[in-house]
Amino acid sequence: DSLDLDPTRVHPMAAAPGDPEAGAAAYATAVEGASLDVLILGMGPEGHTASIFPFSPAAADDRAAVAVHDCPKPPPTRISLGFRTIQSARAVWVLATGAEKAAALARAYAGASQDEIPVAGARGTEQTLWILDAAAASQLPL
């Protein structure tokens, strides 16, 4: 609310209690055709990003936004951007800190698929920036 942003360029993801598929479909409609300048994502220790966990059906789903079920961390059901939207952003920045993320980062860097390590699929059309601390980067080849 305190930023002077054009409200047509802000796309909040609203919850859809009881019907995550409807919520994902509504969000997909909201972001379809939107130009995402910068998308900032985090990652979990097993390599999940944007609520897409390893070997989740969402990793292979081609929709702009998806309902994600059976997440191994609470909440078990979520709405997430899909990789089609993530990979359409001009710039994708991934923030990862902590030694518990080092192994997944190393696997992503080595060429793991987005199905195996979802953060490997977090890339922008013009820029992909990884913002890491020394502990998270500790298993990367330097």
Side-chain angles (χ1 to χ4, degrees), residues 66-90:
V66 296
V68 183
H69 300 278
D70 301 320
C71 295
K73 295 181 177 184
T77 302
R78 309 170 184 207
I79 298 171
S80 177
L81 290 175
F83 278 118
R84 179 173 66 168
T85 303
I86 293 168
Q87 294 168 358
S88 74
R90 189 174 59 78

Side-chain angles (χ1 to χ4, degrees), residues 14-116:
D19 194 351
E21 278 74 19
Y27 196 69
T29 298
V31 298
E32 193 69 43
S35 174
L36 300 178
D37 295 320
V38 178
L39 180 59
I40 303 172
L41 299 169
M43 72 166 280
E46 73 296 288
H48 88 269
T49 193
S51 293
I52 302 174
F53 288 81
F55 304 107
S56 163
D61 196 310
D62 192 38
R63 292 177 291 173
V66 296
V68 183
H69 300 278
D70 301 320
C71 295
K73 295 181 177 184
T77 302
R78 309 170 184 207
I79 298 171
S80 177
L81 290 175
F83 278 118
R84 179 173 66 168
T85 303
I86 293 168
Q87 294 168 358
S88 74
R90 189 174 59 78
V92 174
W93 299 353
V94 179
L95 174 65
T97 61
E100 70 277 4
K101 298 181 182 164
L105 279 169
R107 289 173 61 200
Y109 181 84
S113 71
Q114 69 187 33
D115 184 53
E116 179 187 358

